[in-house]
Amino acid sequence: MDINQIKYFINLAETLNFTEAARLSGVSQPSLTKSIRRLEEELEGPLLYRDGKDSRLTALGREIQVEFMRIDHRLMNVRELALNSVRGRKRVLSLGVAPTIAPAAFSAFIQHIMSQLPDMELNVHTLATNEGAAEVLSGKYDACILPTAPKENFKLAIQHLFQERYLLAFAKGHPLGEFDVIPAEKLAEEQFVDRLSCEFHSQIVAHFMDRDVLMYPRFSAEREDWVQQIVASSDAVCIMPERSCTVAGIDARPVENMDIARDVVLVAVSGNGTPAELRQILGMAAKFEW
């Protein structure tokens, strides 16, 4: 097994197309195919199911993909360290953030990181709905900010950041703004906007169903900005985390007897292999006044 085989297989696993993978790898298709077959022989098992023009990863292939992505990430770190040393380049860390987490709560913390680590560059990426701690373990991201803590894993460092309640959100000037705490039965009278990407969607629905409060969505969306814009510009309401507002003109109140909250965490790979800058960031997060 060599470094080229690792890169070839990563490209093939991402494209599931030998021609495209060969193009991305900068080799001919026969060369890539031969390299993948040698890899399968060495690992003593098929990595792909081949069905005419269609290909898909086997169970072994999926496991190898994760391990190879981790190796590739480490190799990139080695190259980056060399460039940092030889050319004085900045250290670059990639941070995945769940799409339901708003930036307002993190602006001061990011500024603190930038002031304390002037030689580091931080790239922020939006996680897909099904992404999380696995992307840290695979090496796709150096760290992730998640709305709930993943299962305990000795390979992960999990730093709690803050807890935020789920509140009823509505436009400023809405009649519900007269309440300090919204009576649950009032919600049945309102036009409801459904946040399809909400991590606690089923718990929230169950909470109101247990109290015979049925809210029928008039509008649903996965995108937070769409949901918030509709709420801010109409009489509609939605349930959202208290620190998640990014659109001006939205107010929020707690709902009577609704004690649903989420714990926002920072997740990275644990151990000495973690970049020193990332270990510093975890330490800063632990001491930061959220």
Side-chain angles (χ1 to χ4, degrees):
M1 186 186 308
D2 59 37
I3 293 175
N4 287 334
Q5 284 178 306
I6 292 173
K7 193 63 178 178
Y8 295 169
F9 181 73
I10 289 174
N11 289 335
L12 182 58
E14 290 178 349
T15 62
L16 295 177
N17 182 288
F18 281 84
T19 301
E20 181 64 13
R23 185 188 68 79
L24 292 173
S25 303
V27 297
S28 67
Q29 182 176 332
S31 295
L32 183 133
T33 301
K34 185 177 180 180
S35 178
I36 297 300
R37 284 177 177 165
R38 285 203 311 269
L39 185 60
E40 289 178 320
E41 291 173 1
E42 185 174 347
L43 297 175
E44 299 182 355
L47 300 176
L48 291 97
Y49 292 116
R50 299 171 178 83
D51 183 14
K53 293 184 178 180
D54 296 323
S55 300
R56 65 184 187 278
L57 295 177
T58 63
L60 175 61
R62 290 193 295 272
E63 293 178 1
I64 294 300
Q65 180 188 22
V66 172
E67 293 302 321
F68 277 8
M69 288 176 66
R70 184 182 291 116
I71 293 170
D72 188 55
H73 180 72
R74 294 303 180 196
L75 289 171
M76 286 194 300
N77 278 345
V78 171
R79 297 187 191 101
E80 184 183 319
L81 286 171
L83 286 172
N84 289 344
S85 175
V86 175
R87 303 179 186 176
R89 286 182 50 179
K90 292 184 178 180
R91 175 81 186 197
V92 180
L93 293 181
S94 59
L95 177 66
V97 181
T100 60
I101 296 176
F106 291 90
S107 57
F109 181 58
I110 297 299
Q111 291 177 28
H112 180 57
I113 291 174
M114 293 169 65
S115 66
Q116 296 299 310
L117 299 172
D119 294 326
M120 190 204 69
E121 178 182 335
L122 186 62
N123 291 341
V124 176
H125 307 269
T126 302
L127 294 172
T129 304
N130 61 341
E131 289 186 322
E135 277 58 49
V136 175
L137 290 171
S138 71
K140 183 175 182 180
Y141 302 114
D142 294 296
C144 285
I145 298 175
L146 304 175
T148 55
K151 293 181 180 179
E152 288 190 14
N153 187 327
F154 72 93
K155 295 181 180 179
L156 292 174
I158 303 172
Q159 176 59 53
H160 170 80
L161 303 181
F162 57 84
Q163 185 180 82
E164 57 180 342
R165 301 170 297 167
Y166 279 79
L167 306 178
L168 183 73
F170 45 81
K172 289 183 178 180
H174 194 288
L176 290 177
E178 298 178 2
F179 293 91
D180 292 328
V181 178
I182 310 295
E185 61 270 15
K186 287 287 185 181
L187 273 65
E189 305 170 8
E190 303 297 330
Q191 298 183 49
F192 185 64
V193 177
D194 202 3
R195 297 172 56 247
L196 297 178
S197 59
C198 178
E199 297 86 3
F200 289 83
H201 188 273
S202 58
Q203 293 96 315
I204 291 170
V205 171
H207 173 85
F208 290 111
M209 288 184 67
D210 289 345
R211 289 158 178 77
D212 295 323
V213 177
L214 299 179
M215 297 181 293
Y216 297 100
R218 297 292 307 280
F219 179 82
S220 301
E222 291 183 348
R223 283 181 50 171
E224 296 288 303
D225 53 349
W226 279 70
V227 169
Q228 293 186 30
Q229 190 61 54
I230 293 296
V231 169
S233 59
S234 70
D235 292 330
V237 302
C238 75
I239 301 293
M240 63 182 288
E242 60 185 315
R243 297 193 184 192
S244 288
C245 182
T246 57
V247 174
I250 290 181
D251 204 349
R253 298 286 188 280
V255 177
E256 186 178 29
N257 297 322
M258 190 179 80
D259 298 320
I260 300 175
R262 69 181 185 180
D263 289 303
V264 178
V265 296
L266 176 63
V267 179
V269 173
S270 63
N272 293 331
T274 305
E277 295 86 352
L278 189 50
R279 294 199 297 272
Q280 289 179 266
I281 291 173
L282 287 166
M284 283 186 259
K287 298 176 182 178
F288 194 75
E289 294 184 5
W290 296 96

